[in-house]
């Protein structure tokens, strides 16, 4: 009986040692027409089963990936943006909550022209687009997101 209790206790403690996370990634895209649509795009890591989830797809991995990049592509006229993970076509802007992280892309008029009139905000730090293709790089750690950069 004592051996059985020790075995149960060790299983309980060993399973809690696995580093897992599940970041649902709730967001909202706004189309050029002004219509808003919710979306979900998140990440999850299951250490015990060595599975990494990107959006609604799951992949077998030997270890947690270091990072994932999301590409933002400006249209030729700089008026719209395409984000493959969020929508099949061009959108006007988005707001995305990924765990504790907040990522937004919004249009805003400035005194000095800015490419596409876009501002990309990563946790309230604003960036201007300087090229038609930029990326958001999400770096992971065992229990979630380490940081997000552009």
């Amino acid at each position: 009986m004592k051996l059985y209790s020790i075995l149960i206790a060790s299983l309980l403690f060993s399973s809690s040692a696995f580093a897992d996370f599940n970041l649902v990634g709730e967001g909202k895209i706004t189309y050029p027409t002004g219509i808003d649509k919710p979306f979900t795009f998140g990440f999850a890591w299951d250490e015990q089963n060595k599975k990494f989830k990107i959006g609604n797809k799951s992949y077998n991995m030997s270890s947690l990936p270091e990072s994932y990049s999301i590409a933002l592509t400006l249209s030729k006229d700089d008026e719209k943006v395409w984000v493959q993970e969020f929508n099949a076509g061009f959108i006007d802007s988005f707001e995305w909550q990924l765990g504790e992280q907040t990522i937004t892309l919004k249009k805003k008029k400035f005194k000095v022209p800015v490419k596409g009139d876009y501002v990309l905000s990563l946790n309230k730090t604003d960036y201007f687009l300087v090229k038609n293709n930029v990326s958001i790089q999400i770096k992971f750690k065992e229990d979630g997101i380490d940081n997000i950069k552009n």
Side-chain angles (χ1 to χ4, degrees), residues 98-145:
L98 187 60
E100 302 285 318
Q101 314 293 319
T102 303
I103 303 104
T104 62
L105 181 72
K106 294 184 179 181
K107 283 187 169 262
K108 186 175 178 182
K109 292 284 185 184
F110 295 92
K111 291 179 183 178
V112 177
V114 173
K115 191 156 194 66
D117 293 328
Y118 277 108
V119 178
L120 175 64
S121 296
L122 305 175
N123 296 316
K124 298 184 181 178
T125 301
D126 294 339
Y127 302 91
F128 299 117
L129 305 184
V130 293
K131 302 182 288 184
N132 281 32
N133 294 301
V134 297
S135 64
I136 300 169
Q137 186 177 41
I138 302 162
K139 291 199 169 223
F140 299 106
K141 59 183 179 178
E142 290 296 321
D143 60 352
I145 295 174

Short mmCIF file of all heavy atoms in Angstrom, two decimals, residues 98-145:
data_model
loop_
_atom_site.label_atom_id
_atom_site.label_comp_id
_atom_site.label_asym_id
_atom_site.label_seq_id
_atom_site.Cartn_x
_atom_site.Cartn_y
_atom_site.Cartn_z
N LEU A 98 -3.17 38.05 -27.19
CA LEU A 98 -2.51 36.75 -27.13
C LEU A 98 -1.91 36.58 -25.74
O LEU A 98 -0.81 37.06 -25.47
CB LEU A 98 -1.44 36.67 -28.22
CG LEU A 98 -0.75 35.34 -28.44
CD1 LEU A 98 -1.76 34.27 -28.84
CD2 LEU A 98 0.31 35.47 -29.52
N GLY A 99 -2.66 35.96 -24.85
CA GLY A 99 -2.23 35.88 -23.45
C GLY A 99 -2.19 37.28 -22.88
O GLY A 99 -3.15 38.04 -22.98
N GLU A 100 -1.05 37.66 -22.32
CA GLU A 100 -0.86 39.00 -21.76
C GLU A 100 -0.50 40.03 -22.83
O GLU A 100 -0.44 41.22 -22.55
CB GLU A 100 0.25 38.97 -20.71
CG GLU A 100 0.01 38.01 -19.57
CD GLU A 100 -1.01 38.53 -18.58
OE1 GLU A 100 -0.97 39.73 -18.27
OE2 GLU A 100 -1.85 37.73 -18.14
N GLN A 101 -0.23 39.57 -24.03
CA GLN A 101 0.25 40.44 -25.11
C GLN A 101 -0.91 41.04 -25.91
O GLN A 101 -1.88 40.35 -26.21
CB GLN A 101 1.14 39.63 -26.07
CG GLN A 101 2.16 38.75 -25.40
CD GLN A 101 3.24 39.53 -24.68
OE1 GLN A 101 3.72 40.53 -25.18
NE2 GLN A 101 3.63 39.06 -23.51
N THR A 102 -0.76 42.30 -26.29
CA THR A 102 -1.74 42.98 -27.13
C THR A 102 -1.04 43.48 -28.39
O THR A 102 -0.04 44.20 -28.29
CB THR A 102 -2.38 44.17 -26.39
OG1 THR A 102 -2.98 43.69 -25.18
CG2 THR A 102 -3.42 44.85 -27.25
N ILE A 103 -1.57 43.09 -29.55
CA ILE A 103 -1.00 43.49 -30.83
C ILE A 103 -2.12 44.12 -31.65
O ILE A 103 -3.20 43.54 -31.78
CB ILE A 103 -0.42 42.27 -31.59
CG1 ILE A 103 0.64 41.56 -30.74
CG2 ILE A 103 0.18 42.69 -32.91
CD1 ILE A 103 0.18 40.29 -30.14
N THR A 104 -1.88 45.32 -32.15
CA THR A 104 -2.89 46.00 -32.98
C THR A 104 -2.22 46.59 -34.21
O THR A 104 -1.05 46.95 -34.20
CB THR A 104 -3.62 47.12 -32.21
OG1 THR A 104 -2.68 48.12 -31.84
CG2 THR A 104 -4.34 46.60 -30.99
N LEU A 105 -3.00 46.68 -35.25
CA LEU A 105 -2.61 47.39 -36.47
C LEU A 105 -3.78 48.31 -36.81
O LEU A 105 -4.89 47.84 -37.03
CB LEU A 105 -2.33 46.43 -37.63
CG LEU A 105 -1.90 47.12 -38.92
CD1 LEU A 105 -0.47 47.66 -38.77
CD2 LEU A 105 -1.97 46.16 -40.08
N LYS A 106 -3.50 49.62 -36.79
CA LYS A 106 -4.56 50.60 -37.03
C LYS A 106 -4.07 51.67 -37.99
O LYS A 106 -2.88 51.95 -38.07
CB LYS A 106 -4.99 51.26 -35.72
CG LYS A 106 -5.65 50.32 -34.77
CD LYS A 106 -6.15 51.03 -33.53
CE LYS A 106 -6.83 50.02 -32.63
NZ LYS A 106 -7.35 50.60 -31.43
N LYS A 107 -5.03 52.28 -38.66
CA LYS A 107 -4.72 53.42 -39.51
C LYS A 107 -4.85 54.70 -38.70
O LYS A 107 -5.72 54.81 -37.84
CB LYS A 107 -5.69 53.47 -40.69
CG LYS A 107 -5.37 52.46 -41.76
CD LYS A 107 -6.27 52.70 -42.96
CE LYS A 107 -5.78 51.88 -44.11
NZ LYS A 107 -4.97 52.63 -45.03
N LYS A 108 -3.93 55.62 -38.98
CA LYS A 108 -3.98 56.90 -38.30
C LYS A 108 -3.27 57.92 -39.18
O LYS A 108 -2.21 57.65 -39.73
CB LYS A 108 -3.27 56.79 -36.93
CG LYS A 108 -3.39 58.01 -36.08
CD LYS A 108 -2.76 57.76 -34.72
CE LYS A 108 -2.85 59.02 -33.87
NZ LYS A 108 -2.22 58.85 -32.57
N LYS A 109 -3.85 59.09 -39.32
CA LYS A 109 -3.25 60.16 -40.13
C LYS A 109 -2.25 60.94 -39.29
O LYS A 109 -2.51 61.26 -38.14
CB LYS A 109 -4.32 61.12 -40.66
CG LYS A 109 -5.25 60.51 -41.68
CD LYS A 109 -4.54 60.40 -43.01
CE LYS A 109 -5.52 59.90 -44.06
NZ LYS A 109 -4.90 59.68 -45.33
N PHE A 110 -1.09 61.21 -39.90
CA PHE A 110 -0.04 61.97 -39.24
C PHE A 110 0.30 63.20 -40.09
O PHE A 110 -0.01 63.25 -41.28
CB PHE A 110 1.22 61.10 -39.07
CG PHE A 110 1.00 59.93 -38.15
CD1 PHE A 110 0.61 58.70 -38.66
CD2 PHE A 110 1.19 60.06 -36.79
CE1 PHE A 110 0.41 57.62 -37.82
CE2 PHE A 110 0.99 58.99 -35.94
CZ PHE A 110 0.60 57.76 -36.45
N LYS A 111 0.95 64.18 -39.47
CA LYS A 111 1.37 65.37 -40.20
C LYS A 111 2.37 65.01 -41.30
O LYS A 111 2.34 65.55 -42.39
CB LYS A 111 1.99 66.40 -39.26
CG LYS A 111 0.99 67.03 -38.32
CD LYS A 111 1.66 68.02 -37.39
CE LYS A 111 0.64 68.58 -36.41
NZ LYS A 111 1.24 69.50 -35.47
N VAL A 112 3.25 64.09 -40.98
CA VAL A 112 4.23 63.59 -41.95
C VAL A 112 3.70 62.26 -42.48
O VAL A 112 3.25 61.41 -41.69
CB VAL A 112 5.60 63.38 -41.25
CG1 VAL A 112 6.62 62.80 -42.21
CG2 VAL A 112 6.10 64.68 -40.65
N PRO A 113 3.71 62.04 -43.80
CA PRO A 113 3.17 60.79 -44.34
C PRO A 113 3.89 59.55 -43.79
O PRO A 113 5.10 59.53 -43.62
CB PRO A 113 3.43 60.90 -45.84
CG PRO A 113 3.66 62.35 -46.10
CD PRO A 113 4.21 62.93 -44.84
N VAL A 114 3.09 58.54 -43.48
CA VAL A 114 3.57 57.26 -42.96
C VAL A 114 3.06 56.19 -43.92
O VAL A 114 1.92 56.26 -44.37
CB VAL A 114 3.04 57.02 -41.53
CG1 VAL A 114 3.37 55.63 -41.05
CG2 VAL A 114 3.55 58.06 -40.58
N LYS A 115 3.86 55.20 -44.21
CA LYS A 115 3.50 54.16 -45.17
C LYS A 115 2.15 53.54 -44.80
O LYS A 115 1.99 52.94 -43.74
CB LYS A 115 4.57 53.08 -45.22
CG LYS A 115 4.39 52.11 -46.37
CD LYS A 115 5.72 51.48 -46.72
CE LYS A 115 5.71 50.77 -48.02
NZ LYS A 115 5.52 51.58 -49.19
N GLY A 116 1.19 53.70 -45.70
CA GLY A 116 -0.14 53.15 -45.50
C GLY A 116 -0.94 53.78 -44.39
O GLY A 116 -2.03 53.34 -44.09
N ASP A 117 -0.40 54.82 -43.75
CA ASP A 117 -1.03 55.42 -42.57
C ASP A 117 -1.24 54.38 -41.47
O ASP A 117 -2.16 54.49 -40.67
CB ASP A 117 -2.37 56.09 -42.92
CG ASP A 117 -2.21 57.28 -43.82
OD1 ASP A 117 -1.18 57.97 -43.72
OD2 ASP A 117 -3.11 57.53 -44.65
N TYR A 118 -0.36 53.39 -41.41
CA TYR A 118 -0.50 52.31 -40.43
C TYR A 118 0.43 52.48 -39.24
O TYR A 118 1.57 52.92 -39.39
CB TYR A 118 -0.20 50.94 -41.07
CG TYR A 118 -1.38 50.36 -41.79
CD1 TYR A 118 -1.41 50.30 -43.18
CD2 TYR A 118 -2.46 49.85 -41.09
CE1 TYR A 118 -2.49 49.76 -43.85
CE2 TYR A 118 -3.55 49.31 -41.75
CZ TYR A 118 -3.56 49.26 -43.12
OH TYR A 118 -4.64 48.72 -43.77
N VAL A 119 -0.09 52.09 -38.07
CA VAL A 119 0.69 52.02 -36.85
C VAL A 119 0.52 50.60 -36.30
O VAL A 119 -0.61 50.15 -36.07
CB VAL A 119 0.21 53.04 -35.79
CG1 VAL A 119 0.99 52.90 -34.50
CG2 VAL A 119 0.29 54.44 -36.33
N LEU A 120 1.62 49.91 -36.12
CA LEU A 120 1.62 48.58 -35.51
C LEU A 120 2.01 48.76 -34.05
O LEU A 120 3.08 49.31 -33.75
CB LEU A 120 2.63 47.66 -36.22
CG LEU A 120 2.83 46.27 -35.63
CD1 LEU A 120 1.55 45.45 -35.73
CD2 LEU A 120 3.98 45.56 -36.33
N SER A 121 1.15 48.33 -33.14
CA SER A 121 1.42 48.45 -31.71
C SER A 121 1.63 47.08 -31.10
O SER A 121 0.78 46.20 -31.24
CB SER A 121 0.26 49.14 -30.98
OG SER A 121 0.11 50.46 -31.44
N LEU A 122 2.77 46.93 -30.44
CA LEU A 122 3.08 45.70 -29.72
C LEU A 122 3.18 46.07 -28.25
O LEU A 122 4.12 46.75 -27.83
CB LEU A 122 4.41 45.10 -30.19
CG LEU A 122 4.54 44.84 -31.69
CD1 LEU A 122 5.93 44.36 -32.03
CD2 LEU A 122 3.50 43.83 -32.15
N ASN A 123 2.15 45.71 -27.49
CA ASN A 123 2.10 46.05 -26.06
C ASN A 123 2.29 47.55 -25.82
O ASN A 123 3.12 47.97 -25.03
CB ASN A 123 3.12 45.23 -25.27
CG ASN A 123 2.81 43.76 -25.31
OD1 ASN A 123 1.65 43.37 -25.16
ND2 ASN A 123 3.82 42.95 -25.55
N LYS A 124 1.57 48.35 -26.56
CA LYS A 124 1.53 49.81 -26.44
C LYS A 124 2.80 50.52 -26.91
O LYS A 124 2.96 51.71 -26.69
CB LYS A 124 1.18 50.23 -25.01
CG LYS A 124 -0.20 49.76 -24.59
CD LYS A 124 -0.57 50.26 -23.22
CE LYS A 124 -1.94 49.73 -22.83
NZ LYS A 124 -2.32 50.13 -21.51
N THR A 125 3.70 49.79 -27.56
CA THR A 125 4.85 50.42 -28.21
C THR A 125 4.53 50.48 -29.69
O THR A 125 4.24 49.45 -30.32
CB THR A 125 6.15 49.62 -27.98
OG1 THR A 125 6.38 49.53 -26.57
CG2 THR A 125 7.33 50.29 -28.65
N ASP A 126 4.54 51.69 -30.25
CA ASP A 126 4.12 51.90 -31.64
C ASP A 126 5.28 51.84 -32.62
O ASP A 126 6.38 52.32 -32.32
CB ASP A 126 3.43 53.27 -31.79
CG ASP A 126 2.11 53.33 -31.04
OD1 ASP A 126 1.54 52.27 -30.74
OD2 ASP A 126 1.66 54.45 -30.75
N TYR A 127 5.01 51.26 -33.78
CA TYR A 127 5.97 51.16 -34.88
C TYR A 127 5.28 51.58 -36.17
O TYR A 127 4.09 51.29 -36.36
CB TYR A 127 6.48 49.72 -35.04
CG TYR A 127 7.14 49.17 -33.81
CD1 TYR A 127 6.41 48.47 -32.85
CD2 TYR A 127 8.51 49.35 -33.59
CE1 TYR A 127 7.01 47.96 -31.71
CE2 TYR A 127 9.12 48.84 -32.45
CZ TYR A 127 8.37 48.16 -31.52
OH TYR A 127 8.97 47.66 -30.39
N PHE A 128 6.02 52.22 -37.05
CA PHE A 128 5.51 52.56 -38.37
C PHE A 128 6.01 51.52 -39.36
O PHE A 128 7.11 50.98 -39.21
CB PHE A 128 5.99 53.95 -38.82
CG PHE A 128 5.53 55.05 -37.92
CD1 PHE A 128 6.45 55.82 -37.22
CD2 PHE A 128 4.18 55.32 -37.76
CE1 PHE A 128 6.03 56.85 -36.39
CE2 PHE A 128 3.75 56.34 -36.92
CZ PHE A 128 4.67 57.11 -36.23
N LEU A 129 5.22 51.25 -40.37
CA LEU A 129 5.64 50.33 -41.41
C LEU A 129 6.57 51.08 -42.35
O LEU A 129 6.25 52.19 -42.79
CB LEU A 129 4.43 49.78 -42.18
CG LEU A 129 3.34 49.11 -41.33
CD1 LEU A 129 2.26 48.54 -42.24
CD2 LEU A 129 3.89 48.05 -40.42
N VAL A 130 7.72 50.50 -42.66
CA VAL A 130 8.66 51.14 -43.58
C VAL A 130 8.80 50.34 -44.87
O VAL A 130 9.40 50.82 -45.83
CB VAL A 130 10.05 51.35 -42.93
CG1 VAL A 130 9.95 52.36 -41.80
CG2 VAL A 130 10.64 50.05 -42.44
N LYS A 131 8.26 49.12 -44.88
CA LYS A 131 8.29 48.27 -46.07
C LYS A 131 6.89 47.70 -46.29
O LYS A 131 6.04 47.79 -45.41
CB LYS A 131 9.27 47.10 -45.88
CG LYS A 131 10.70 47.51 -45.59
CD LYS A 131 11.61 46.30 -45.46
CE LYS A 131 11.35 45.55 -44.19
NZ LYS A 131 12.23 44.43 -43.94
N ASN A 132 6.68 47.12 -47.46
CA ASN A 132 5.39 46.50 -47.74
C ASN A 132 5.24 45.14 -47.06
O ASN A 132 4.14 44.61 -46.96
CB ASN A 132 5.18 46.35 -49.24
CG ASN A 132 4.74 47.65 -49.86
OD1 ASN A 132 5.13 48.72 -49.41
ND2 ASN A 132 3.94 47.58 -50.90
N ASN A 133 6.35 44.55 -46.63
CA ASN A 133 6.32 43.27 -45.93
C ASN A 133 7.06 43.41 -44.60
O ASN A 133 8.25 43.71 -44.58
CB ASN A 133 6.98 42.16 -46.76
CG ASN A 133 6.22 41.87 -48.02
OD1 ASN A 133 5.06 41.50 -47.96
ND2 ASN A 133 6.86 42.05 -49.15
N VAL A 134 6.33 43.21 -43.53
CA VAL A 134 6.93 43.21 -42.20
C VAL A 134 6.45 41.95 -41.48
O VAL A 134 5.50 41.30 -41.92
CB VAL A 134 6.57 44.47 -41.38
CG1 VAL A 134 7.11 45.71 -42.04
CG2 VAL A 134 5.09 44.58 -41.17
N SER A 135 7.12 41.62 -40.39
CA SER A 135 6.67 40.44 -39.65
C SER A 135 6.63 40.73 -38.16
O SER A 135 7.34 41.59 -37.65
CB SER A 135 7.58 39.25 -39.94
OG SER A 135 8.88 39.49 -39.47
N ILE A 136 5.78 39.97 -37.50
CA ILE A 136 5.68 39.99 -36.05
C ILE A 136 6.29 38.66 -35.60
O ILE A 136 5.80 37.59 -35.98
CB ILE A 136 4.22 40.09 -35.59
CG1 ILE A 136 3.58 41.37 -36.12
CG2 ILE A 136 4.13 39.99 -34.08
CD1 ILE A 136 2.08 41.41 -35.93
N GLN A 137 7.36 38.73 -34.84
CA GLN A 137 8.02 37.51 -34.38
C GLN A 137 7.67 37.26 -32.92
O GLN A 137 7.94 38.08 -32.05
CB GLN A 137 9.53 37.60 -34.55
CG GLN A 137 10.21 36.29 -34.22
CD GLN A 137 11.69 36.33 -34.47
OE1 GLN A 137 12.35 37.31 -34.16
NE2 GLN A 137 12.22 35.25 -35.01
N ILE A 138 7.07 36.09 -32.69
CA ILE A 138 6.67 35.69 -31.35
C ILE A 138 7.69 34.67 -30.85
O ILE A 138 7.83 33.60 -31.45
CB ILE A 138 5.25 35.09 -31.37
CG1 ILE A 138 4.28 36.12 -31.95
CG2 ILE A 138 4.83 34.63 -29.98
CD1 ILE A 138 2.98 35.55 -32.42
N LYS A 139 8.40 35.02 -29.79
CA LYS A 139 9.39 34.11 -29.20
C LYS A 139 8.75 33.43 -27.99
O LYS A 139 8.14 34.10 -27.15
CB LYS A 139 10.64 34.86 -28.79
CG LYS A 139 11.41 35.37 -29.98
CD LYS A 139 12.83 35.67 -29.59
CE LYS A 139 13.61 35.92 -30.85
NZ LYS A 139 14.89 35.31 -30.84
N PHE A 140 8.94 32.11 -27.93
CA PHE A 140 8.30 31.32 -26.88
C PHE A 140 9.28 30.95 -25.78
O PHE A 140 10.49 30.89 -25.99
CB PHE A 140 7.73 30.03 -27.48
CG PHE A 140 6.67 30.29 -28.51
CD1 PHE A 140 6.94 30.10 -29.85
CD2 PHE A 140 5.41 30.71 -28.13
CE1 PHE A 140 5.98 30.34 -30.81
CE2 PHE A 140 4.43 30.95 -29.09
CZ PHE A 140 4.72 30.76 -30.42
N LYS A 141 8.71 30.70 -24.61
CA LYS A 141 9.43 30.08 -23.50
C LYS A 141 8.55 28.95 -23.01
O LYS A 141 7.41 28.80 -23.47
CB LYS A 141 9.74 31.09 -22.40
CG LYS A 141 8.53 31.77 -21.79
CD LYS A 141 8.93 32.79 -20.75
CE LYS A 141 7.69 33.47 -20.17
NZ LYS A 141 8.03 34.41 -19.15
N GLU A 142 9.04 28.13 -22.12
CA GLU A 142 8.35 26.90 -21.72
C GLU A 142 6.91 27.12 -21.23
O GLU A 142 6.08 26.25 -21.40
CB GLU A 142 9.15 26.16 -20.65
CG GLU A 142 10.42 25.55 -21.18
CD GLU A 142 10.20 24.46 -22.22
OE1 GLU A 142 9.26 23.66 -22.09
OE2 GLU A 142 10.99 24.42 -23.18
N ASP A 143 6.63 28.28 -20.65
CA ASP A 143 5.29 28.49 -20.13
C ASP A 143 4.51 29.58 -20.87
O ASP A 143 3.55 30.11 -20.35
CB ASP A 143 5.35 28.78 -18.63
CG ASP A 143 6.15 30.01 -18.30
OD1 ASP A 143 6.81 30.57 -19.20
OD2 ASP A 143 6.13 30.45 -17.13
N GLY A 144 4.95 29.91 -22.10
CA GLY A 144 4.20 30.91 -22.89
C GLY A 144 5.08 31.73 -23.79
O GLY A 144 6.01 31.23 -24.41
N ILE A 145 4.81 33.01 -23.82
CA ILE A 145 5.53 33.94 -24.70
C ILE A 145 6.64 34.63 -23.93
O ILE A 145 6.41 35.15 -22.83
CB ILE A 145 4.57 34.99 -25.29
CG1 ILE A 145 3.56 34.30 -26.21
CG2 ILE A 145 5.32 36.06 -26.04
CD1 ILE A 145 2.48 35.21 -26.75
#
